[in-house]
Amino acid sequence: MELMSHCKSKTIIMKIRTILNPIQILLAGVIFAITTGCNEDWLEPKPLSFYTPSNTYNEAAGLWASLVACERNMRHEYTGDGSPILTEHIFSEVAVEGTTDKSGPAQDMNLLITPDADLNSTNTNRIGWYWEEGYNGIKYANTVVSRIDEPQDYESEEEKNHLLATAYFHRSLRYYRLTQQFGDIPLILEEIIEPKLDFYSTERTVILKKMKADLEWGEEWIPEVLDRGRVPKGALQHLLIKINLALGEFQDALDVANRLIDGGPYALMTERFGVDANDPTKNVVWDMHRPDNKATFTNTEAILLVLDRIDTEGNSSGIISMRNAVPFWGSNINTPIGNKGTSDQPNIAIDQVTAFGRGIGRLRATWYHQSMIWDDENDLRHAPGNWMDMTDLVYNNPDLLKDDIQDPYYGKNLEFRNDEGAILVVDTIRSWFSWPHYKLYIPDPQRNQPRGGHTDWYIFRLAESYLLRAEAKFWLGDLAGAAADVNAVRTRAGAAPYSPADMNIGTILDERARELYYEEPRKTELTRIARIFAMTGKTAYNGKSYNEMDFSKENFYYDRIMEVTDYYNKGVFTRHGDTYTLSPYHVLWPIPQSSINANTQGHLNQNEGYSGFENNVPPLTSIPEYE
Amino acid sequence: MMHKFYNYHWLIVLLFCVNVTQTYAQNVQITGTVLDETDLPLPGVTILLKGTTTGTTTDLDGKFSLSASREGVLIFSFIGYDPVEMEIGNQAIIDIQMNPNTSNLEEVVVIGYGYAKKRDITGAVSSVNPGKLENENPNSVQDILRGNAAGLNVGLGVTAKGGGNLQVRGRTSLTADSSPLLVLDGAIYYGELADINPNDIENLEVLKDASASAVFGAKAANGVILITTKKGKVGKPVIKFNANTGLATMAKFPEVYGPDGFISWREDVFKSINAGGYEPYQFSDPRALPSDISLEEWLAYDGSSGDPETVWLQRLNLQPVEIENYKAGKSVDWYDKIFQTGFRQDYTVSLSGRTDNINYYWSLGYLNNEGIRIGDKYETIRSRFNLEGTINKWLSVGLNTQFSASDDSGVPIKDDPAPLYTNWNLLRGLSPWGSEFNEDGTYKWRPNDETSGGNHPLYNLSHTNRYEKTISLNSTIYANIKLPFGFNFRTNFSPRFVFSDRFYHKSSDHAEWGTQGGIANRRNQKEYYWQIDNILTWQKTFVEKHDFNATFLINAEKFQNWEDNMNNNGFEPHDKLGYHGLGAGINPVISSNDEYSTGDALMGRLIYSYDGKYSTTLSVRRDGYSAFGQSNPRALFYSAAAGWVFSDENFINIDWLDFGKMRLSWGSNGNRDIGRYVALSKLKPEKYFYQRPSGDLYLVNQLYVENMQNSNLRWERTESLNLGIDFSILKTKLTGTLEMYMMSTTDLLVKRSLPPFLGFEYVYDNLGQVDNKGFELTLNSTNFERNNFIWRTTANFQMNRNEIVSLYGDLGENGREVDDLTNKWFIGHPIDQIWNYKTQGIWQSNEADEAGVYGVKPGDFKIQDVDGDGKFTNADRQFQGYTEPRFRWSLRNEFTLFSNFDVSFMLYSYLGHSDKFNQMKNRDGFLDRSSSYVTPYWTEENPNNEWARLNSSEGGAGGFDVYRKKSFVRLENISVGYNFPKQLTEKAKITNLRIYGNIRNVGYFAPKWEFWDPEIDFTDPANSGPVPRYFTIGIDVTL
């Protein structure tokens, strides 16, 4: 109705004109229509139910909210079906992709890992997820970096610096991961508000040095203790150790590790605590990984967490760890006398699905992880109750009790072969392997066949800080110091300490595998170590030395996987007929072709070994300037 | 001299008077009745004695009386009807029937914001008169239009609600909506088409070129459909009643495996899954082993013992319940649990009439349709009230109001949170050996106890309660003032209200939802939209030859929408209150979304015609819209056109040509359908939480920039040139229209792809140029016309070609503009051209080594490796066909037998397009746990070159597509109607009585497209899956 009034005057004018010469009216009317109009305010857009940058990022609270996206999205790496963390494990020596009844999953890497392939699907791999989500995190953080001076309502200069330092942390975390996963990549340090398509790859050390400088500035400004879910100073320090290691700046890595481990409020958990503290059948390793125990302030080992709770707005679809990483035990396993032995139905006499979840064996632990690394029978991380072998499960198919079957094996433990030596499992890759129950078991009351429910998850934990410091000491030649740090983690788990003579990168990697399965980004760390060997030329324990020139042809990453696993080098194939293959160039993942295609005014380099590498131009060796 | 003259003058006058007296003396009184083509009385017909001004008009009953001499000739004339001349002779009673003029050139037709003589129209317009389709009882506006207007393409609607997408001519836009603008009784209509009762429609006009649609400026680039609803006709009040009922039956659904076929197919599945190697006859029926394999050996493959049949079925991954049912011979045919024969009913009653001062039309309709899926249902009550009062010589006022109340609870929608209808997709997966019921007689949630084996089709439905109703009220209230000197001023105020509620409850008795303690949701939506049109028109004829028709418009509009949404779960102590007790849950989530937009427009148009032979139209319109409100809120659009009735020229003298007209138009239109806020950056809010040292959890908001803003966003603009020829030859036996056009769309509103590492996938931007050109031909012919038999044919043919001329203007190294590989848009190519890997049949057994190079096996698809590098990259993608039809045609034949028996049938066809046909890969879903559609597949023993082995591998070309031609011809309907003879009906005081019946979607022929109907679109739930066939019978009564 508002318009009626403000257009009315024109209506009247037009009425008056009706008595004028028609031709004049015609001309006047057309000119009138072209030159004037209703009030300009009339067309002002009015966003009603959403925030826009101009009305939100000019307040401190708005910028903090931008960083909440960084915190929340760290969770996506671990949650959901076929979560990205699986890809980090599959591209390492601890596990392979176990979906054996079809082609597509990352098994035949030489065939499937290409720039043009589908790199972001639960049915293939999640390389593309890391690429996109990594840069999403950078975008959220850059919003804060670019607009840090806009809000006028900071409580103090400290708050402003705290905010900026937190943004630096998130941006550095993403660049750390991306440079280890993809090598040389485009560097974006500002909020992008209009189309920009002229990027070039920046040399990864240039990026890492900038991140290091940002974190060193920020270390002063982040408080040591913050509410769980936020980024405390220790998280920044933990990341800074990794970046220093990646740059080969081992003394700086050691210094910051000392500040974190010796100077911070953290300590390894060595005593029983939390919800099951009074259950004598459990132990501290079990306690460490209970969903209810991770975020409590009693837990002094947790540095950085992502939070996820049942029936809470903003939660995820669950960790799905049991579906992803428990064997596909519910079918294809016969009793020694040939009956279908197992059942994944809930609410049956022996309900194993509620206790262990309905696994589909997507993440299939290698023999290295199941057996080779376990050198101490007192190690709680491999102890009965915490660790599950297939033979710990029992034949639970209720049909075994039927009159016409009456299988005597009902309720007995699973067996791999019968007396004649026949293998009783249809698919040994997918349906028969061991797993760390203490870590993967997450109650999932909202599903009939649990897959792994809602739980907080460790992003950084002091145990890893110790292992990183051990690494720094190792590279600096302090084997005794390295052994002390590794042993801090080992002895907490009840295992006997190593001697300094035992220390090499292999033993540190073994300890990481024992302690950090399903937590650490294994491929990222393995590539980082391979790069250190190439940068330093140091001879590895396998007797080989490497260089940066041939990094994609010969590297510690590939040699390590070939050394300790039997899949990629033995021509193992799945029952669907797909062969496991891997090549040295997989030390770096392919830059997704879609990003190369869309960056029409610049040029992104492709990594050696992938098609498109031949078009590379030299990467930028300084920080690019943008208008 | 003067004197003389005056004398003579008087003499002349005197003589004349005498003469008149003499003539008068010979006059006779003549009476009679004028009827129209349907034998209804025709009031208001002018009757003149030829060569005089003597005359009269017919009364309400079509009767007249006048006196005239026996030598005289009477001329009967009425707008829209062929004039009739009749010598009086010896007749005293003259009863005549008048027919509508076939060329109806003098007819006044609706154009945007006014009327014009059809003769003066310069734009490309297709008209559809629903009256001709009465025997087909169209259920929706789309049904009326489908195949009946050249240049307008109507998608299929497969649900009970029906419908289908509309598109005029080619695709001009890459991302903005391309459905045409709807104008209902002169006012732009943004409501739902389903709210318009097709029985209320008098006429539909499709404006296709810029000249015709330019008056709608910014909204008209995709064409305009003008819908005119019925008005009362002069005469006594008329009641019309229309009732029809019918059935919806399955026309096309692919076959799935029955109990026996399932087992042998599953055997082949396992052989193919285990392509890595398996023991001889490992998956075969142990009762048919060859002599060299003993049962013991066979059992020992996996250490089995016991019943070999059970072992065999276990190896085929049959679940215990399936094995049990198999042995007991208890199979289930899931088809009947998913599909039904739907019952359809549609009733409309209307009352209309017209007196000198009041014209009224009121209708009330009820429609209740069931679809072929159990639970697919649509019910609506629709009412329309059109009223016009003539107050005095210069003022008339009126209103057109439309009300609808629909029950949308059972209407399939995208991402439906709580469907009340079956999921047809389940049929493919459900094992015929599963169990339908639990022991207690309730539906078994998972019929074979296997997660991937599918759910009982009725299980979710039986645990869902839903209420979804929409009430909408759409009105145009107007006043019309006649001013001196041919001016006329009209004001329209068109408000629209929509109230929509959706509540649902998913019960905690459900196996899955129960773990969440039940789920309930309420969503309320309210929409208020209004617009005002102030229209000044001027019509004047000078010297009987110069016709002016000028129109000026001032318009403003405002849209407002309010929506709130609440969700909860975990109801304590129970969820029996359902969606009525939303507060009882433990996890409330609320949200709201309000929207607002405004627009305005100024428009001027002049139609000038000279002597009925030459006409021109000029128009200019300026539009404003708040979605472009930051830098470019307004834009100007204009058009110019000329028409020439060349058959009226003296120098053209062709016997067989009755009428010929040439039209040439040029103009520009805009497109603003991009969403209200796309130019703005939107921050995406989501919840997250932190935990205090005390252990308390508290919620925090995340806010990140979801989309990149573009304050310079402006209107998409289409310029088009149209050449049209209208003709009528052989005494109107053949009439037709030929249109040729070229359209060029610039400043396209596109989702410009950005490199993913920017953190944005795309930004809305104005870029590039897309050209369309095409050709349309409409022919109407009367093939045969005798008293007892009439045969008429209408044929439409159309083709459209488009080409991307420019995208972002980025030049590559070779100086050529670069393509958008992400969206697969290429400079110089059509938007719809396919660019992908190309399949070349299937690898055969003797090619195992070559297949191995690509990591695949015999039975897998062979994909062309263009550059021979053994990898699949962009260099291996090729252009191969188009996804939009290259040609379309439709053909309607109508027969009238014994003047009251009508038969018609209609065919239409889309030709030359291709689509993905990935069924041929035979790798859908979990074949080892579910059933499947019956498709051919490759095996070593039974190879072929088209269909891959079961569970085939894609090798290094992951996600490749197989394409197939999709051309088809459809027999869209066959209709029969019978009009009862007047002699019979009049006795019962019934003016008209008609019965009819029809079959819609009788069948189709698609030689290369097996499996599914070629018209369905799997991205749209209202248009995918099984396609129904409808049988209907109905009755029309006019009192």
Side-chain angles (χ1 to χ4, degrees), chain A residues 3-22:
Chain A
L3 195 93
M4 269 184 153
S5 56
H6 82 250
C7 282
K8 196 159 72 186
S9 55
K10 280 152 205 151
T11 311
I12 293 164
I13 291 166
M14 295 192 77
K15 279 185 193 166
I16 293 166
R17 291 222 166 110
T18 56
I19 55 172
L20 297 174
N21 177 322

Side-chain angles (χ1 to χ4, degrees), chain A residues 145-198:
Chain A
V145 174
S146 289
R147 293 177 186 264
I148 190 71
D149 291 327
E150 283 184 30
Q152 301 302 315
D153 63 340
Y154 292 116
E155 277 172 27
S156 59
E157 192 66 15
E158 283 73 24
E159 189 201 2
K160 180 177 168 184
N161 288 341
H162 177 197
L163 173 64
L164 184 61
T166 308
Y168 283 158
F169 166 80
H170 283 295
R171 189 168 75 180
S172 303
L173 176 64
R174 272 66 176 193
Y175 276 120
Y176 168 70
R177 296 293 298 276
L178 289 165
T179 49
Q180 306 313 304
Q181 291 163 332
F182 298 96
D184 298 344
I185 52 170
L187 173 63
I188 306 173
L189 296 170
E190 291 169 347
E191 184 184 11
I192 304 284
I193 53 172
E194 56 186 28
K196 185 166 163 46
L197 308 157
D198 57 350

